[in-house]
Amino acid sequence: MLAAKLLFDNNHFAQPLNRSYYAIFHAVRSLLAFDKFDSKKHSGIISYFINKYVRSGMIDENFSQMLTKAQRLRLDSDYDELICCR
């Protein structure tokens, strides 16, 4: 987390978005390990998480919104060089 803050404070915006997304993603992936579930695709992890934990009410919907927003921001920042200038 300190690395993300240092990058952000020094106007390196894409890297903190990437690191933040992966922190959230791997936390979710760790949760799914209790179900013995894994996927080669991020979409598989996210879909399983939403279907099993969010739609059932076990985890608040705000967490799935945070995850999907972080994924979108990460993709935008990784693949759109101008995203941080908008």
Side-chain angles (χ1 to χ4, degrees):
M1 204 54 143
L2 177 60
K5 182 174 177 3
L6 288 171
L7 289 166
F8 183 83
D9 289 346
N10 289 286
N11 298 322
H12 297 281
F13 300 110
Q15 296 92 342
L17 290 171
N18 182 294
R19 289 172 188 227
S20 296
Y21 165 71
Y22 276 102
I24 297 166
F25 174 77
H26 286 298
V28 167
R29 194 169 176 221
S30 296
L31 171 66
L32 303 189
F34 287 106
D35 295 339
K36 297 184 178 14
F37 179 84
D38 198 12
S39 175
K40 293 181 180 183
K41 295 187 174 195
H42 287 229
S43 59
I45 297 290
I46 293 168
S47 177
Y48 184 90
F49 170 72
I50 290 170
N51 287 324
K52 169 96 188 242
Y53 289 95
V54 177
R55 290 196 177 134
S56 69
M58 292 169 58
I59 292 182
D60 190 277
E61 185 178 342
N62 289 330
F63 290 103
S64 69
Q65 292 170 355
M66 184 187 325
L67 173 60
T68 55
K69 183 174 183 177
Q71 181 190 36
R72 188 180 80 257
L73 289 170
R74 196 270 308 176
L75 289 170
D76 288 349
S77 69
D78 281 358
Y79 299 107
D80 185 348
E81 295 173 2
L82 300 177
I83 191 72
C84 296
C85 301
R86 292 183 188 155

